[in-house]
Amino acid sequence: MPDSKYSLDALAQRLKSNYTNCEITQSNGTLTIQTALGELVVTGLHITCSVLGESCGEFSFKTEDDLYEAIESHLLMLQKEEARCNLTYSAARSSRSKHFRRLLCGAFLIHVLLLIAYLWCSLPVLVVLALLCPLAAMTVFAPIQRQILHRSWVCPHCGAPLPLHKSHLYSTPYPVASCPKCGTSLLDPALVEQLRQEMQATDEDLISNAPTSSDLPKPGSRLPGLIWGIFLLVSSLLLLFSFLVLLPESTPVYSVGSIPIIVGVAAAGLALLICRAPQAEPHGRPPEAAVYDHPLLPAIGIILGLFGLFCTFCAILLPQDLVMAFGFFGPIGLGLLLLSVWMLLSRKNRSLLCYSTHLVYTSSFGRVRKLERHQIASVQFTSNGSLRFLDADGKKLCGIESNMPGAADAVTWAERSHLHFSTSKALDQKIDTQEHALKTVSWHTADRTPMHAHLPAIRVGLVVVTLFFTFGSILPLLLYLFADVKASVVIYWTAFSAVPILLYYVLFAPVLLLSDRPTNASREWNQMHIKFPTILVVLLALLNATQIHYLWNQQVLHVVDDLLLVVQVLVLSALLIALFRWRTPKRIREVESLVITATALILVSFSILYAGNLALCKPSKHYPLVVVDRSAPTEEHPDRDRTLTIRLEDGSTKSIPVSEELYDLQEGGTEFVVCQRKSLLGVRMVQLHLPKGASWPDKEQPPVP
């Protein structure tokens, strides 16, 4: 980094954005970063580190990126130590985790009961409820964990609430060294003194006094893998028994598709019992660093495995629906079982043991590789948070994730071994993107338009058109259900309620913001832009399109020329997307917001063109109904819709869904007529009803637009 004031200012601004609990000062070309436990002094490309008054060394770097990585690594280490010495922080996280585990166990129990109930009564809604169960648990946990943190994450001296990281579903305690209100230190003096004694040891002391086995992370137990492996083998036998029972009444396709599923479940169980990691140097000197996979993996693996096993049972026990059995349940079940086996094996086997002269790496499936110190040339950090050990040619020798227990000790071992540290291209691009995002978005006078002088009136207009769109999406349907409003009025109101908000955006696009406000935007920039309710517009457009398709198109007035309507929708939506993109200024034009907006415009185009074709229809023609084919639910296919394939005026056929009452009346011999309309745009629409003068048994005919 050049020794310039601008570069030092940029570095200070970046650090202040990412580490708000640090005191950062700048004077005479020197940047000082002060925390509760240590201090970091930056001068050019040179840094001096200290913890509790004990010097940690002085380091020099070649590039600005290497300098920032070193600063960030030291600050993260200090944050970790502050959290370890803060008993209030540890108690709050422990209380939050305890309640989270209880809620997770309860949700998992409900999830399993719903899946068992589905196997018992075959109601599809039970599968939907089972899939929504984890989401419901997370939603319920949000207010619960906030109450937990409000009770536990408070200052023990004055009782004031301590800072929290808040999001839509989660709130996590933000580790601070002192209470922001009373200033009392939250660090335990005994733990701080213990840390001081550890920092007084030199690197030679650390090397000569190798850590004992009790200081290192513990490897995963073989017990979960053994139990789950035996359970999978027993399940494969049950699957085989079910397959043999259903085989005489099944088709050859069922026989061919079931065998890979049964073999896959058995192979998964055998893999858990056979793939064992050999013990590397069991009686030798303890390693200087040990890295193992996360302890949470077995629990997640068993949960995924249970759902995968449920899918495999569904595939075997559904011989009447081969598409769902081998096109949906079978592949998903085997995929989840494979992921479950990998998680259990990874926790049990995968490890990296760092010795003074070599490394011992064990893969998830038990393959052991010994790497001599001279084979390793560098350590590379990647964008997904992993660490790769590379040889002199840049080839990967082994890799671990930074969130694995003991990964920080492995990095320390690499530093002590004087290995070269580097970053991947993807991580470099990510850092550049973050640096660009940290730059303050300022307002420029050249971007001002005449509309910026009328922002209060434009805000009022946005509220008006949004309310009109909202009421137009909900109120017409209620009026149709409870006030006997004509169907065509409801269709026009529902579809054309989006037109005002579309015109509004086209007119006032220079002052409207489709995406979220930048976190680093200046106050003036925020005042000059009005947030457009993009997500609300997408939801309302989806509601309108759903009403048009499933209610009016499926139950009342059926479109015959589906392909022509699709072409019209694509043309109109393409024009609207191009118009929106042209009207959106380049300074606020983002890909994500345009994609979301394009989705809303496609949905709106469908609603508008359905209603537009109905409005442009010529007088209707009536002719007798001729049914070519029919379809109704059966015992083998209870979910099949009732449809009639009718012959149109030009001799072509069209399959349309009908109500149960209309289907029974037509099958019983009641004569119906086809009411056909054709739009000026070429789209034909048909409706089935009784001849003129006839009436339904309940005296109520279906709605006629």
Side-chain angles (χ1 to χ4, degrees), residues 338-378:
L338 178 62
L339 184 60
S340 169
V341 169
W342 174 83
M343 287 184 173
L344 287 163
L345 290 178
S346 185
R347 173 56 181 164
K348 181 180 69 172
N349 297 338
R350 191 183 181 199
S351 64
L352 178 68
L353 304 179
C354 304
Y355 297 89
S356 58
T357 58
H358 62 278
L359 295 179
V360 178
Y361 176 76
T362 307
S363 67
S364 300
F365 292 92
R367 179 173 175 266
V368 180
R369 186 177 185 184
K370 184 176 180 180
L371 302 172
E372 297 297 335
R373 169 64 187 82
H374 63 81
Q375 294 179 261
I376 307 170
S378 63

mmCIF file of all heavy atoms in Angstrom, residues 338-378:
data_model
loop_
_atom_site.group_PDB
_atom_site.id
_atom_site.type_symbol
_atom_site.label_atom_id
_atom_site.label_comp_id
_atom_site.label_asym_id
_atom_site.label_seq_id
_atom_site.Cartn_x
_atom_site.Cartn_y
_atom_site.Cartn_z
ATOM 1 N N LEU A 338 -27.136 -40.451 0.493
ATOM 2 C CA LEU A 338 -25.718 -40.271 0.181
ATOM 3 C C LEU A 338 -25.139 -39.085 0.952
ATOM 4 O O LEU A 338 -24.032 -39.165 1.506
ATOM 5 C CB LEU A 338 -25.535 -40.068 -1.322
ATOM 6 C CG LEU A 338 -24.099 -39.827 -1.808
ATOM 7 C CD1 LEU A 338 -23.228 -41.041 -1.490
ATOM 8 C CD2 LEU A 338 -24.084 -39.543 -3.306
ATOM 9 N N LEU A 339 -25.888 -37.993 1.019
ATOM 10 C CA LEU A 339 -25.435 -36.834 1.781
ATOM 11 C C LEU A 339 -25.342 -37.158 3.268
ATOM 12 O O LEU A 339 -24.412 -36.732 3.967
ATOM 13 C CB LEU A 339 -26.396 -35.664 1.548
ATOM 14 C CG LEU A 339 -26.028 -34.323 2.191
ATOM 15 C CD1 LEU A 339 -24.685 -33.840 1.667
ATOM 16 C CD2 LEU A 339 -27.111 -33.285 1.913
ATOM 17 N N SER A 340 -26.284 -37.942 3.768
ATOM 18 C CA SER A 340 -26.267 -38.332 5.180
ATOM 19 C C SER A 340 -25.044 -39.179 5.500
ATOM 20 O O SER A 340 -24.362 -38.966 6.515
ATOM 21 C CB SER A 340 -27.550 -39.102 5.506
ATOM 22 O OG SER A 340 -27.472 -39.704 6.776
ATOM 23 N N VAL A 341 -24.744 -40.139 4.625
ATOM 24 C CA VAL A 341 -23.579 -41.004 4.845
ATOM 25 C C VAL A 341 -22.297 -40.189 4.817
ATOM 26 O O VAL A 341 -21.393 -40.383 5.640
ATOM 27 C CB VAL A 341 -23.555 -42.120 3.785
ATOM 28 C CG1 VAL A 341 -22.233 -42.870 3.818
ATOM 29 C CG2 VAL A 341 -24.706 -43.085 4.014
ATOM 30 N N TRP A 342 -22.203 -39.257 3.880
ATOM 31 C CA TRP A 342 -20.996 -38.426 3.809
ATOM 32 C C TRP A 342 -20.816 -37.618 5.090
ATOM 33 O O TRP A 342 -19.704 -37.487 5.601
ATOM 34 C CB TRP A 342 -21.082 -37.493 2.604
ATOM 35 C CG TRP A 342 -19.944 -36.519 2.574
ATOM 36 C CD1 TRP A 342 -18.690 -36.733 2.081
ATOM 37 C CD2 TRP A 342 -19.944 -35.182 3.095
ATOM 38 N NE1 TRP A 342 -17.902 -35.619 2.256
ATOM 39 C CE2 TRP A 342 -18.646 -34.649 2.881
ATOM 40 C CE3 TRP A 342 -20.894 -34.386 3.713
ATOM 41 C CZ2 TRP A 342 -18.294 -33.357 3.260
ATOM 42 C CZ3 TRP A 342 -20.548 -33.109 4.102
ATOM 43 C CH2 TRP A 342 -19.263 -32.601 3.872
ATOM 44 N N MET A 343 -21.898 -37.054 5.636
ATOM 45 C CA MET A 343 -21.786 -36.256 6.860
ATOM 46 C C MET A 343 -21.312 -37.097 8.036
ATOM 47 O O MET A 343 -20.436 -36.682 8.806
ATOM 48 C CB MET A 343 -23.132 -35.611 7.183
ATOM 49 C CG MET A 343 -23.505 -34.472 6.258
ATOM 50 S SD MET A 343 -25.051 -33.685 6.757
ATOM 51 C CE MET A 343 -25.084 -32.286 5.625
ATOM 52 N N LEU A 344 -21.868 -38.291 8.184
ATOM 53 C CA LEU A 344 -21.472 -39.139 9.303
ATOM 54 C C LEU A 344 -20.026 -39.610 9.155
ATOM 55 O O LEU A 344 -19.262 -39.628 10.124
ATOM 56 C CB LEU A 344 -22.422 -40.329 9.401
ATOM 57 C CG LEU A 344 -23.820 -39.990 9.934
ATOM 58 C CD1 LEU A 344 -24.797 -41.098 9.616
ATOM 59 C CD2 LEU A 344 -23.776 -39.753 11.426
ATOM 60 N N LEU A 345 -19.642 -39.992 7.940
ATOM 61 C CA LEU A 345 -18.267 -40.423 7.715
ATOM 62 C C LEU A 345 -17.288 -39.262 7.859
ATOM 63 O O LEU A 345 -16.164 -39.432 8.335
ATOM 64 C CB LEU A 345 -18.139 -41.051 6.325
ATOM 65 C CG LEU A 345 -18.816 -42.409 6.134
ATOM 66 C CD1 LEU A 345 -18.650 -42.867 4.693
ATOM 67 C CD2 LEU A 345 -18.238 -43.441 7.085
ATOM 68 N N SER A 346 -17.708 -38.077 7.431
ATOM 69 C CA SER A 346 -16.824 -36.924 7.506
ATOM 70 C C SER A 346 -16.515 -36.570 8.955
ATOM 71 O O SER A 346 -15.369 -36.250 9.300
ATOM 72 C CB SER A 346 -17.455 -35.731 6.782
ATOM 73 O OG SER A 346 -16.583 -34.641 6.751
ATOM 74 N N ARG A 347 -17.511 -36.624 9.800
ATOM 75 C CA ARG A 347 -17.274 -36.331 11.220
ATOM 76 C C ARG A 347 -16.392 -37.399 11.863
ATOM 77 O O ARG A 347 -15.546 -37.106 12.697
ATOM 78 C CB ARG A 347 -18.618 -36.225 11.951
ATOM 79 C CG ARG A 347 -18.505 -36.090 13.468
ATOM 80 C CD ARG A 347 -17.643 -34.918 13.876
ATOM 81 N NE ARG A 347 -17.521 -34.812 15.321
ATOM 82 C CZ ARG A 347 -16.606 -34.099 15.941
ATOM 83 N NH1 ARG A 347 -15.708 -33.415 15.249
ATOM 84 N NH2 ARG A 347 -16.566 -34.044 17.260
ATOM 85 N N LYS A 348 -16.562 -38.656 11.461
ATOM 86 C CA LYS A 348 -15.810 -39.740 12.083
ATOM 87 C C LYS A 348 -14.379 -39.832 11.547
ATOM 88 O O LYS A 348 -13.435 -40.077 12.305
ATOM 89 C CB LYS A 348 -16.540 -41.065 11.827
ATOM 90 C CG LYS A 348 -15.852 -42.268 12.443
ATOM 91 C CD LYS A 348 -16.624 -43.537 12.162
ATOM 92 C CE LYS A 348 -16.570 -43.915 10.690
ATOM 93 N NZ LYS A 348 -17.155 -45.241 10.435
ATOM 94 N N ASN A 349 -14.184 -39.633 10.238
ATOM 95 C CA ASN A 349 -12.903 -39.921 9.607
ATOM 96 C C ASN A 349 -12.095 -38.682 9.243
ATOM 97 O O ASN A 349 -10.869 -38.677 9.415
ATOM 98 C CB ASN A 349 -13.116 -40.746 8.330
ATOM 99 C CG ASN A 349 -13.727 -42.103 8.619
ATOM 100 O OD1 ASN A 349 -13.630 -42.605 9.735
ATOM 101 N ND2 ASN A 349 -14.353 -42.692 7.631
ATOM 102 N N ARG A 350 -12.751 -37.670 8.690
ATOM 103 C CA ARG A 350 -12.005 -36.569 8.097
ATOM 104 C C ARG A 350 -11.226 -35.797 9.169
ATOM 105 O O ARG A 350 -11.798 -35.349 10.165
ATOM 106 C CB ARG A 350 -12.960 -35.621 7.367
ATOM 107 C CG ARG A 350 -12.247 -34.595 6.500
ATOM 108 C CD ARG A 350 -13.242 -33.672 5.873
ATOM 109 N NE ARG A 350 -12.575 -32.695 5.027
ATOM 110 C CZ ARG A 350 -13.124 -31.554 4.636
ATOM 111 N NH1 ARG A 350 -14.352 -31.254 5.013
ATOM 112 N NH2 ARG A 350 -12.465 -30.717 3.867
ATOM 113 N N SER A 351 -9.931 -35.630 8.933
ATOM 114 C CA SER A 351 -9.092 -34.934 9.906
ATOM 115 C C SER A 351 -7.820 -34.461 9.228
ATOM 116 O O SER A 351 -7.443 -34.937 8.153
ATOM 117 C CB SER A 351 -8.746 -35.854 11.083
ATOM 118 O OG SER A 351 -7.964 -36.945 10.636
ATOM 119 N N LEU A 352 -7.170 -33.499 9.875
ATOM 120 C CA LEU A 352 -5.855 -33.007 9.462
ATOM 121 C C LEU A 352 -5.011 -32.864 10.722
ATOM 122 O O LEU A 352 -5.330 -32.056 11.599
ATOM 123 C CB LEU A 352 -5.969 -31.666 8.733
ATOM 124 C CG LEU A 352 -4.644 -31.040 8.305
ATOM 125 C CD1 LEU A 352 -3.986 -31.876 7.209
ATOM 126 C CD2 LEU A 352 -4.848 -29.611 7.812
ATOM 127 N N LEU A 353 -3.949 -33.663 10.815
ATOM 128 C CA LEU A 353 -3.047 -33.637 11.966
ATOM 129 C C LEU A 353 -1.738 -33.002 11.525
ATOM 130 O O LEU A 353 -1.110 -33.454 10.557
ATOM 131 C CB LEU A 353 -2.805 -35.053 12.494
ATOM 132 C CG LEU A 353 -4.068 -35.854 12.869
ATOM 133 C CD1 LEU A 353 -3.695 -37.240 13.362
ATOM 134 C CD2 LEU A 353 -4.902 -35.118 13.908
ATOM 135 N N CYS A 354 -1.337 -31.941 12.225
ATOM 136 C CA CYS A 354 -0.145 -31.179 11.865
ATOM 137 C C CYS A 354 0.974 -31.499 12.849
ATOM 138 O O CYS A 354 0.853 -31.217 14.054
ATOM 139 C CB CYS A 354 -0.438 -29.673 11.885
ATOM 140 S SG CYS A 354 -1.803 -29.171 10.828
ATOM 141 N N TYR A 355 2.051 -32.094 12.335
ATOM 142 C CA TYR A 355 3.245 -32.375 13.121
ATOM 143 C C TYR A 355 4.353 -31.416 12.698
ATOM 144 O O TYR A 355 4.222 -30.675 11.724
ATOM 145 C CB TYR A 355 3.676 -33.824 12.936
ATOM 146 C CG TYR A 355 2.654 -34.821 13.434
ATOM 147 C CD1 TYR A 355 1.651 -35.292 12.587
ATOM 148 C CD2 TYR A 355 2.677 -35.279 14.741
ATOM 149 C CE1 TYR A 355 0.701 -36.205 13.037
ATOM 150 C CE2 TYR A 355 1.741 -36.192 15.208
ATOM 151 C CZ TYR A 355 0.746 -36.644 14.349
ATOM 152 O OH TYR A 355 -0.188 -37.533 14.799
ATOM 153 N N SER A 356 5.448 -31.448 13.404
ATOM 154 C CA SER A 356 6.534 -30.513 13.113
ATOM 155 C C SER A 356 7.174 -30.772 11.763
ATOM 156 O O SER A 356 7.684 -29.851 11.124
ATOM 157 C CB SER A 356 7.599 -30.596 14.216
ATOM 158 O OG SER A 356 8.094 -31.928 14.316
ATOM 159 N N THR A 357 7.145 -32.016 11.293
ATOM 160 C CA THR A 357 7.819 -32.354 10.035
ATOM 161 C C THR A 357 6.881 -32.779 8.923
ATOM 162 O O THR A 357 7.312 -32.891 7.773
ATOM 163 C CB THR A 357 8.819 -33.497 10.273
ATOM 164 O OG1 THR A 357 8.126 -34.639 10.813
ATOM 165 C CG2 THR A 357 9.922 -33.053 11.235
ATOM 166 N N HIS A 358 5.604 -33.017 9.223
ATOM 167 C CA HIS A 358 4.705 -33.515 8.186
ATOM 168 C C HIS A 358 3.248 -33.284 8.594
ATOM 169 O O HIS A 358 2.952 -32.879 9.731
ATOM 170 C CB HIS A 358 4.946 -35.006 7.934
ATOM 171 C CG HIS A 358 4.665 -35.860 9.138
ATOM 172 N ND1 HIS A 358 5.570 -36.031 10.162
ATOM 173 C CD2 HIS A 358 3.571 -36.579 9.492
ATOM 174 C CE1 HIS A 358 5.063 -36.822 11.088
ATOM 175 N NE2 HIS A 358 3.842 -37.163 10.706
ATOM 176 N N LEU A 359 2.354 -33.551 7.634
ATOM 177 C CA LEU A 359 0.910 -33.507 7.851
ATOM 178 C C LEU A 359 0.327 -34.886 7.569
ATOM 179 O O LEU A 359 0.838 -35.619 6.715
ATOM 180 C CB LEU A 359 0.234 -32.499 6.919
ATOM 181 C CG LEU A 359 0.561 -31.014 7.061
ATOM 182 C CD1 LEU A 359 -0.210 -30.223 6.001
ATOM 183 C CD2 LEU A 359 0.197 -30.513 8.439
ATOM 184 N N VAL A 360 -0.738 -35.231 8.263
ATOM 185 C CA VAL A 360 -1.479 -36.460 7.997
ATOM 186 C C VAL A 360 -2.926 -36.068 7.738
ATOM 187 O O VAL A 360 -3.613 -35.568 8.648
ATOM 188 C CB VAL A 360 -1.381 -37.451 9.177
ATOM 189 C CG1 VAL A 360 -2.210 -38.696 8.868
ATOM 190 C CG2 VAL A 360 0.064 -37.831 9.438
ATOM 191 N N TYR A 361 -3.391 -36.283 6.498
ATOM 192 C CA TYR A 361 -4.754 -35.906 6.108
ATOM 193 C C TYR A 361 -5.560 -37.173 5.843
ATOM 194 O O TYR A 361 -5.102 -38.082 5.130
ATOM 195 C CB TYR A 361 -4.742 -35.041 4.854
ATOM 196 C CG TYR A 361 -6.124 -34.708 4.343
ATOM 197 C CD1 TYR A 361 -6.906 -33.743 4.974
ATOM 198 C CD2 TYR A 361 -6.656 -35.359 3.237
ATOM 199 C CE1 TYR A 361 -8.176 -33.444 4.525
ATOM 200 C CE2 TYR A 361 -7.932 -35.064 2.773
ATOM 201 C CZ TYR A 361 -8.689 -34.105 3.418
ATOM 202 O OH TYR A 361 -9.952 -33.811 2.962
ATOM 203 N N THR A 362 -6.747 -37.257 6.415
ATOM 204 C CA THR A 362 -7.645 -38.388 6.227
ATOM 205 C C THR A 362 -8.938 -37.884 5.599
ATOM 206 O O THR A 362 -9.552 -36.946 6.121
ATOM 207 C CB THR A 362 -7.960 -39.088 7.564
ATOM 208 O OG1 THR A 362 -6.739 -39.418 8.221
ATOM 209 C CG2 THR A 362 -8.764 -40.352 7.328
ATOM 210 N N SER A 363 -9.351 -38.500 4.489
ATOM 211 C CA SER A 363 -10.573 -38.089 3.806
ATOM 212 C C SER A 363 -11.789 -38.668 4.517
ATOM 213 O O SER A 363 -11.678 -39.480 5.446
ATOM 214 C CB SER A 363 -10.541 -38.549 2.350
ATOM 215 O OG SER A 363 -10.605 -39.964 2.281
ATOM 216 N N SER A 364 -12.966 -38.282 4.046
ATOM 217 C CA SER A 364 -14.208 -38.734 4.678
ATOM 218 C C SER A 364 -14.374 -40.245 4.586
ATOM 219 O O SER A 364 -14.931 -40.874 5.493
ATOM 220 C CB SER A 364 -15.407 -38.039 4.021
ATOM 221 O OG SER A 364 -15.311 -36.641 4.157
ATOM 222 N N PHE A 365 -13.902 -40.852 3.505
ATOM 223 C CA PHE A 365 -14.077 -42.292 3.310
ATOM 224 C C PHE A 365 -12.860 -43.097 3.780
ATOM 225 O O PHE A 365 -12.680 -44.244 3.390
ATOM 226 C CB PHE A 365 -14.374 -42.578 1.839
ATOM 227 C CG PHE A 365 -15.714 -42.064 1.405
ATOM 228 C CD1 PHE A 365 -15.839 -40.803 0.856
ATOM 229 C CD2 PHE A 365 -16.855 -42.820 1.584
ATOM 230 C CE1 PHE A 365 -17.080 -40.318 0.463
ATOM 231 C CE2 PHE A 365 -18.094 -42.350 1.206
ATOM 232 C CZ PHE A 365 -18.214 -41.092 0.643
ATOM 233 N N GLY A 366 -11.984 -42.473 4.597
ATOM 234 C CA GLY A 366 -10.927 -43.214 5.253
ATOM 235 C C GLY A 366 -9.610 -43.289 4.520
ATOM 236 O O GLY A 366 -8.723 -44.052 4.923
ATOM 237 N N ARG A 367 -9.419 -42.525 3.472
ATOM 238 C CA ARG A 367 -8.145 -42.551 2.743
ATOM 239 C C ARG A 367 -7.143 -41.636 3.448
ATOM 240 O O ARG A 367 -7.383 -40.436 3.602
ATOM 241 C CB ARG A 367 -8.352 -42.092 1.301
ATOM 242 C CG ARG A 367 -7.076 -42.067 0.462
ATOM 243 C CD ARG A 367 -7.422 -41.760 -0.986
ATOM 244 N NE ARG A 367 -6.221 -41.618 -1.799
ATOM 245 C CZ ARG A 367 -5.634 -40.459 -2.056
ATOM 246 N NH1 ARG A 367 -6.147 -39.340 -1.574
ATOM 247 N NH2 ARG A 367 -4.550 -40.406 -2.797
ATOM 248 N N VAL A 368 -6.004 -42.195 3.860
ATOM 249 C CA VAL A 368 -4.996 -41.455 4.612
ATOM 250 C C VAL A 368 -3.863 -41.052 3.673
ATOM 251 O O VAL A 368 -3.399 -41.853 2.851
ATOM 252 C CB VAL A 368 -4.437 -42.306 5.771
ATOM 253 C CG1 VAL A 368 -3.378 -41.526 6.543
ATOM 254 C CG2 VAL A 368 -5.566 -42.715 6.704
ATOM 255 N N ARG A 369 -3.430 -39.800 3.814
ATOM 256 C CA ARG A 369 -2.328 -39.290 3.001
ATOM 257 C C ARG A 369 -1.356 -38.544 3.900
ATOM 258 O O ARG A 369 -1.750 -37.649 4.652
ATOM 259 C CB ARG A 369 -2.866 -38.362 1.906
ATOM 260 C CG ARG A 369 -1.785 -37.918 0.929
ATOM 261 C CD ARG A 369 -2.368 -37.068 -0.169
ATOM 262 N NE ARG A 369 -1.354 -36.737 -1.157
ATOM 263 C CZ ARG A 369 -1.564 -35.931 -2.207
ATOM 264 N NH1 ARG A 369 -2.756 -35.388 -2.382
ATOM 265 N NH2 ARG A 369 -0.596 -35.687 -3.053
ATOM 266 N N LYS A 370 -0.096 -38.902 3.794
ATOM 267 C CA LYS A 370 0.941 -38.261 4.579
ATOM 268 C C LYS A 370 1.714 -37.292 3.688
ATOM 269 O O LYS A 370 2.189 -37.667 2.613
ATOM 270 C CB LYS A 370 1.889 -39.307 5.167
ATOM 271 C CG LYS A 370 2.948 -38.727 6.090
ATOM 272 C CD LYS A 370 3.792 -39.829 6.708
ATOM 273 C CE LYS A 370 4.852 -39.254 7.636
ATOM 274 N NZ LYS A 370 5.691 -40.309 8.245
ATOM 275 N N LEU A 371 1.824 -36.033 4.139
ATOM 276 C CA LEU A 371 2.490 -34.986 3.369
ATOM 277 C C LEU A 371 3.686 -34.475 4.156
ATOM 278 O O LEU A 371 3.538 -34.005 5.294
ATOM 279 C CB LEU A 371 1.519 -33.827 3.093
ATOM 280 C CG LEU A 371 0.226 -34.178 2.345
ATOM 281 C CD1 LEU A 371 -0.710 -32.984 2.333
ATOM 282 C CD2 LEU A 371 0.533 -34.629 0.925
ATOM 283 N N GLU A 372 4.866 -34.609 3.565
ATOM 284 C CA GLU A 372 6.068 -34.092 4.208
ATOM 285 C C GLU A 372 6.075 -32.566 4.144
ATOM 286 O O GLU A 372 5.471 -31.960 3.258
ATOM 287 C CB GLU A 372 7.310 -34.666 3.542
ATOM 288 C CG GLU A 372 7.442 -36.174 3.655
ATOM 289 C CD GLU A 372 7.593 -36.638 5.091
ATOM 290 O OE1 GLU A 372 8.062 -35.832 5.929
ATOM 291 O OE2 GLU A 372 7.237 -37.807 5.377
ATOM 292 N N ARG A 373 6.797 -31.975 5.093
ATOM 293 C CA ARG A 373 6.833 -30.511 5.171
ATOM 294 C C ARG A 373 7.376 -29.884 3.897
ATOM 295 O O ARG A 373 6.862 -28.849 3.442
ATOM 296 C CB ARG A 373 7.685 -30.111 6.387
ATOM 297 C CG ARG A 373 8.057 -28.643 6.470
ATOM 298 C CD ARG A 373 6.846 -27.741 6.640
ATOM 299 N NE ARG A 373 7.223 -26.357 6.555
ATOM 300 C CZ ARG A 373 7.400 -25.698 5.415
ATOM 301 N NH1 ARG A 373 7.220 -26.297 4.241
ATOM 302 N NH2 ARG A 373 7.726 -24.422 5.415
ATOM 303 N N HIS A 374 8.369 -30.497 3.249
ATOM 304 C CA HIS A 374 8.968 -29.900 2.059
ATOM 305 C C HIS A 374 8.052 -29.993 0.840
ATOM 306 O O HIS A 374 8.279 -29.317 -0.161
ATOM 307 C CB HIS A 374 10.316 -30.574 1.761
ATOM 308 C CG HIS A 374 10.189 -32.050 1.448
ATOM 309 N ND1 HIS A 374 9.832 -32.522 0.201
ATOM 310 C CD2 HIS A 374 10.360 -33.137 2.247
ATOM 311 C CE1 HIS A 374 9.788 -33.846 0.231
ATOM 312 N NE2 HIS A 374 10.104 -34.251 1.455
ATOM 313 N N GLN A 375 6.996 -30.840 0.907
ATOM 314 C CA GLN A 375 6.061 -30.933 -0.214
ATOM 315 C C GLN A 375 5.092 -29.747 -0.248
ATOM 316 O O GLN A 375 4.518 -29.445 -1.287
ATOM 317 C CB GLN A 375 5.251 -32.231 -0.120
ATOM 318 C CG GLN A 375 6.055 -33.494 -0.297
ATOM 319 C CD GLN A 375 5.174 -34.714 -0.167
ATOM 320 O OE1 GLN A 375 5.095 -35.361 0.873
ATOM 321 N NE2 GLN A 375 4.480 -35.028 -1.239
ATOM 322 N N ILE A 376 4.895 -29.096 0.889
ATOM 323 C CA ILE A 376 3.908 -28.015 0.998
ATOM 324 C C ILE A 376 4.612 -26.691 0.773
ATOM 325 O O ILE A 376 5.573 -26.358 1.473
ATOM 326 C CB ILE A 376 3.231 -28.040 2.376
ATOM 327 C CG1 ILE A 376 2.664 -29.431 2.663
ATOM 328 C CG2 ILE A 376 2.123 -26.996 2.443
ATOM 329 C CD1 ILE A 376 2.191 -29.616 4.074
ATOM 330 N N ALA A 377 4.121 -25.939 -0.221
ATOM 331 C CA ALA A 377 4.744 -24.657 -0.555
ATOM 332 C C ALA A 377 3.953 -23.469 -0.045
ATOM 333 O O ALA A 377 4.532 -22.443 0.308
ATOM 334 C CB ALA A 377 4.927 -24.542 -2.070
ATOM 335 N N SER A 378 2.617 -23.577 -0.015
ATOM 336 C CA SER A 378 1.806 -22.420 0.358
ATOM 337 C C SER A 378 0.452 -22.867 0.870
ATOM 338 O O SER A 378 0.054 -24.027 0.710
ATOM 339 C CB SER A 378 1.632 -21.464 -0.832
ATOM 340 O OG SER A 378 0.924 -22.113 -1.879
#
